Every structure is written in C-alpha cells, then in structure tokens.
Amino acid sequence: MKSQTPILVKKFGGTSVGTIDRIQSVAQRIKRDRTPNSAPVLVVSAMSGETNRLVTMSEQIHPHYRGPAYDMLVASGEQVSVALVALALEKLGLKARPYLAHQLGIHTDSMYSKARIQRIDTKNILKDIEEGIIPIVAGFQGVDEFDNITTLGRGGSDTTGVALAAALGAKECEIYTDVPAVFTADPRIVPKAREIKKLSFDEMIEMASLGSKVLHIRSVEIGAKYGVKIHVRSTFEARVGTWVVPEGDEMENPAVTSITHEEKTTVFKLSPIPPGVESLASLFEALATEGVIIDIITQSQISDGQQLAFSVPNEDAHASKEIITKQFGSKVKTEIMEDVSKLSIVGVGMRNHPGVAAKFFRVLADKKIKVHLVTTSEIKVSAVINSGELAAAAQALHFAFGLDKE
C-alpha cells in the first residue's frame, strides 16, 4: 500500500525538543506548516543531554560495555520525547501516534551501539496517514532478530529519518537542528565560516566521516543510495538551510567546499609487525568484528618486519587496545597518541583542480604544524595534527582556499 498524499519526513534533534517549551514550539510549527496536500511523519531524538546522562550511568557501572543492556538503556530517552511530542500535538487538536522502533518494525543487525538498519515496516505509518494521524517515530533505535533493542550510534536519529523517507518513497527528508545550515567550517574555531547552500552527497559523506557532527554518515549514504534529498535547517528559524543533493544538481564546484575536523581521535603506532599480509589481515579482521572504525592507515617495511600506524575514533580506542594486546602481546611495541586531531579539506571540485594537496601542505608548513598521518581521496585531503594547533590550522586553510570570502 502506498500513500496517495505526498509524505514529508521531518527529523527533530535533541536541542529541538530539549525543553517543554521547545517541544510545544515544534508542535506549533507542525500545525502551522501542515497542508491538506502533505503528510508529515516525525522522527524525534531524545531531549538534549539525556543520552549523555544515560551513557554516563552505564560507564559508572560497566565501563566500555556495549551489548543489549547498554542499548536498552540509552534508547530509553527517545521514549520520553516521542510521547511528549504526541501530547503537544494532541493538545493542539491534531491526531498523533508515538512509535518506538520495535512497535513500528525498524529491523537492524545485532551490532550493539552501532547497528545498521536492514528494513522498515511501513504498514502502520501508511495506515495512520490515511486516517489523518501524524506518526511520531523514535529515532536512533531499532530491534534485532532476537527482539533486542539496538541503537544506531550517536546521531543515529538522522539515519532513522532518511531511512524512513526512503522506505516510504518520500523524495526528501528535513533535518531540524540548532544550527541554520552546514558551514564551510566549524564556526566555533573558524569565526569567518559561512553557510553552504548546497552540498553533494559525496561531499557530505566525506564531511560526516571526517568529524562533521551535522549529519550521521549513514543517513547521507542512505540518501545517496535511494535518492532522498536532505534539507538541513534550523528548528528556530523559518528559512532555507543547506540541501544535500546528487552531484550536478545545480552544484557549484569550488576546489574546496569545507574545512572539516575531528577534534579527538586516537592513533596507534605498532612495530615491528611480523612481515607479510597475514598479520595485517588478522588484526583488521579482529577490529572489524568488534565494530571498530578504522580511518587512516600507513604501513612501511623495516629491518625486522613492518611498521603500522592507524587512527580510530576515541570511542573505539579501548577496544582497539585490547585487540592489539590479544593479537600481539608484548612482541610488538605500541605507541598510543591521544592528544591529536584530524583536519581535512573536502570538495568535489578537487577532481579538476590540480595543486590542492600542495597548497594544503604549504599552509601547514608555513604554520610549522607537525603532521603525523596523511590520507587522501579524489575529493579530500586529511592530516592528523596536534590538537593544540587545530584552530590555527583550520583558520589558515579556510583563508587560503578562499572560504572567508562571501
């Protein structure tokens, strides 16, 4: 069954529903924006700060544990917010129905704290739409084949929203947040950062993977796969924000679109690793089994084997350390670098602009900024640098690539 009314999925983040007043404002906006020719479907995050509170309690009892009990705990914040939003809509005379993921049927794998959506049952939502009811879906959570509650990772409500839009055949998904748009850099460290009107899916995927907190990377991947355009906009202003669209959709392609950073990352340096590919394969297979996300990898041959360095998000550092110890014991010297950050430039225009990498490294060299690891793709250049030099480097790159200009 398909809805005869065009569906628009609207996802509201934690700051958008962070207080009772804000929840009521969201309800008023839904009522104001609703038209007879559109059917809103809402996806809601936990109230701001709530997930952090729940994670902190888990860490106090069983640090680094990730399993069914952890996901059940941290998913509970969304139960409160979807119920409150439903109450606010009902108060305004609108019919609303809140759903938790297991009630709706958001099916995932069993990679707890990092689950991936496999399918979504849409029958109940479509029935609600035909009856004039506004569905309100808990973001961030799902259910696995064993009926355990799962969570999609921090920021996973974005993924719920875009995946739901894809499942319902919607052409776009609105992501409401506390910022008005995606910026050319983080305004907190680059005061001259400017709003970006349009980004390609590829650019936004790179930005999300490189530290940008605006969108969850899986949401952008799903949008790209199913052709769901994403509109990042402010909950508190009624204006256009940033559109994330297919490349070539009225895109401008400067060499560099944005300066992106991940403030906290961890680098592991190992030597000597036994020679040959087998030792590398075994290590990275073990890391993958635990859901560790590997970013930059460098490898070189040395006299007694090989030297390996790789970076992971801080949240994966503990698991990585345990796996390295299990794989190699005391036979391999392990150096762990924690006070480092990843700084990147991103832009689809880099494909057609020579000299971008040269300028990137010249800027860092002129600032006498030490580079620990480097990685590139056709639309990005990334370097791991000392955290204390992050702001100066980001500001210098923003100026050098002309992003300060209106």
Side-chain angles (χ1 to χ4, degrees):
M1 179 176 69
K2 289 188 176 182
S3 172
Q4 301 302 310
T5 307
I7 296 170
L8 181 56
V9 177
K10 299 171 178 278
K11 177 263 176 177
F12 290 91
T15 53
S16 303
V17 294
T19 66
I20 296 301
D21 286 344
R22 288 186 174 182
I23 286 171
Q24 292 178 326
S25 294
V26 164
Q28 290 164 357
R29 181 167 189 161
I30 296 301
K31 182 175 182 179
R32 183 178 67 247
D33 294 348
R34 192 183 189 194
T35 69
N37 297 321
S38 68
V41 175
L42 311 187
V43 174
V44 181
S45 299
M47 299 172 74
S48 55
E50 180 62 11
T51 303
N52 285 340
R53 185 182 73 87
L54 297 168
V55 170
T56 298
M57 288 194 292
S58 174
E59 291 295 305
Q60 288 173 345
I61 294 174
H62 194 344
H64 309 299
Y65 168 81
R66 297 295 182 266
Y70 174 87
D71 279 25
M72 178 179 284
L73 173 67
V74 298
S76 64
E78 279 70 20
Q79 181 167 341
V80 174
S81 56
V82 293
L84 290 174
V85 171
L87 289 171
L89 290 170
E90 293 279 358
K91 179 183 176 182
L92 296 177
L94 301 174
K95 292 189 289 184
R97 178 169 291 142
Y99 286 102
L100 299 180
H102 72 272
Q103 294 174 308
L104 181 62
I106 299 178
H107 302 276
T108 74
D109 61 22
S110 298
M111 183 62 72
Y112 299 109
S113 82
K114 296 180 181 180
R116 296 170 75 91
I117 295 173
Q118 296 176 328
R119 71 182 190 280
I120 298 177
D121 298 334
T122 59
K123 181 176 67 175
N124 289 339
I125 284 183
L126 293 172
K127 185 172 182 291
D128 287 345
I129 290 171
E130 293 306 311
E131 295 175 1
I133 298 169
I134 300 175
I136 309 162
V137 180
F140 176 61
Q141 58 180 241
V143 61
D144 69 8
E145 62 178 319
F146 309 108
D147 290 329
N148 291 316
I149 293 172
T150 59
T151 59
L152 310 181
R154 301 305 294 267
S157 292
D158 295 342
T159 297
T160 305
V162 179
L164 190 55
L168 291 167
K171 295 181 179 179
E172 63 188 61
C173 177
E174 294 181 334
I175 305 290
Y176 288 88
T177 181
D178 57 351
V179 297
V182 181
F183 284 77
T184 52
D186 187 337
R188 293 173 297 181
I189 67 169
V190 182
K192 292 186 178 181
R194 298 179 296 105
E195 294 181 19
I196 303 172
K197 293 182 179 179
K198 282 190 178 182
L199 284 166
S200 71
F201 285 123
D202 285 350
E203 287 173 318
M204 195 67 243
I205 287 171
E206 289 283 15
M207 289 171 65
S209 70
L210 296 170
S212 173
K213 307 301 182 186
V214 177
L215 286 173
H216 192 243
I217 185 171
R218 283 287 296 138
S219 70
V220 192
E221 291 172 344
I222 292 170
K225 181 176 181 179
Y226 294 98
V228 178
K229 296 181 180 181
I230 302 171
H231 187 188
V232 179
R233 58 192 312 194
S234 172
T235 306
F236 313 113
E237 299 178 59
R239 66 179 182 89
V240 174
T242 298
W243 282 94
V244 184
V245 299
E247 188 174 336
D249 189 355
E250 300 180 12
M251 296 288 301
E252 294 182 11
N253 292 329
V256 172
T257 303
S258 71
I259 311 297
T260 304
H261 75 277
E262 186 169 352
E263 187 172 1
K264 295 181 179 181
T265 191
T266 301
V267 173
F268 290 88
K269 292 186 175 180
L270 313 178
S271 68
I273 299 287
V277 180
E278 180 60 38
S279 57
L280 299 178
S282 297
L283 172 61
F284 289 114
E285 284 169 353
L287 291 166
T289 298
E290 293 301 316
V292 172
I293 298 172
I294 305 298
D295 185 20
I296 302 174
I297 303 173
T298 64
Q299 178 269 353
S300 59
Q301 299 296 325
I302 55 178
S303 59
D304 50 354
Q306 50 190 328
Q307 184 171 277
L308 176 70
F310 62 91
S311 63
V312 301
N314 269 20
E315 64 187 35
D316 289 337
H318 178 79
S320 300
K321 185 176 180 180
E322 288 192 334
I323 291 166
I324 290 168
T325 301
K326 185 176 180 181
Q327 288 276 317
F328 301 115
S330 59
K331 296 178 182 178
V332 171
K333 180 183 176 183
T334 302
E335 178 187 353
I336 303 175
M337 301 177 62
E338 295 178 310
D339 192 21
V340 292
S341 302
K342 182 171 59 179
L343 181 63
S344 310
I345 55 174
V346 177
V348 292
M350 290 171 60
R351 293 173 179 148
N352 304 311
H353 288 76
V356 173
K359 182 183 286 190
F360 176 86
F361 291 113
R362 172 49 58 194
V363 170
L364 298 185
D366 289 346
K367 286 287 183 179
K368 296 181 170 54
I369 291 170
K370 185 176 181 180
V371 173
H372 300 290
L373 291 176
V374 173
T375 186
T376 65
S377 74
E378 62 177 351
I379 66 167
K380 71 105 184 282
V381 179
S382 298
V384 174
I385 64 174
N386 294 331
S387 295
E389 298 175 319
L390 176 62
Q395 291 168 18
L397 288 168
H398 198 269
F399 174 78
F401 284 101
L403 298 178
D404 287 1
K405 301 175 183 177
E406 293 292 341

